[in-house]
């Protein structure tokens, strides 16, 4: 018996799925938690891709550690926005 798994979605595919869920919400069938999860995973995917080029050793670290690294190695204002968005999305996922 062969087990197959679906390929992981790209960040762009996650964003498109989130938009589709938001559009569906206009008709009364909103899925805010699923939308937040898709957006958070898209952000994490992009951050992981960036860090794999800049600091591959951080690949196994928790997202909070990655965000702290950003604050010290990137524009602090941008790093702060990334942290705020990720934190808000994480809260919405739970």
């Amino acid at each position: 018996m062969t087990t197959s798994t679906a390929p992981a979605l790209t960040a762009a595919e996650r964003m498109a799925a989130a938009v589709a869920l938001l559009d569906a919400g206009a008709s009364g069938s909103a899925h805010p938690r699923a939308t937040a999860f898709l957006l958070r995973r898209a952000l994490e995917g992009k951050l992981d891709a960036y860090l794999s080029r800049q600091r591959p050793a951080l690949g196994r670290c928790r997202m909070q550690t990655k965000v702290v690294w950003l604050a010290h190695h990137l524009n602090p204002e941008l790093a702060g926005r990334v942290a705020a968005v990720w934190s808000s999305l994480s809260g919405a996922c739970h």
Side-chain angles (χ1 to χ4, degrees), residues 14 17-19 21-22 30-40 89:
R14 286 187 177 104
V19 168
L21 285 173
L22 290 172
H31 300 283
R33 195 168 174 196
T35 302
F37 179 76
L38 286 164
L39 292 172
R40 186 183 77 176
L89 290 170

Side-chain angles (χ1 to χ4, degrees), residues 48 57-66:
D48 285 342
L58 289 175
R60 298 177 142 263
C61 293
R62 295 173 39 160
M63 188 55 60
Q64 291 92 335
T65 303
K66 295 173 184 179

Side-chain angles (χ1 to χ4, degrees), residues 39-69:
L39 292 172
R40 186 183 77 176
R41 287 297 300 132
L43 177 62
E44 290 171 350
K46 286 296 190 180
L47 181 56
D48 285 342
Y50 172 77
L51 290 175
S52 73
R53 294 185 306 273
Q54 300 298 318
R55 187 63 62 154
L58 289 175
R60 298 177 142 263
C61 293
R62 295 173 39 160
M63 188 55 60
Q64 291 92 335
T65 303
K66 295 173 184 179
V67 170
V68 168
W69 183 89

Side-chain angles (χ1 to χ4, degrees), residues 73-94:
H73 296 90
L74 192 65
N75 174 322
E77 183 181 339
L78 178 58
R81 282 195 258 153
V82 169
V85 169
W86 182 82
S87 179
S88 294
L89 290 170
S90 291
C93 289
H94 299 286

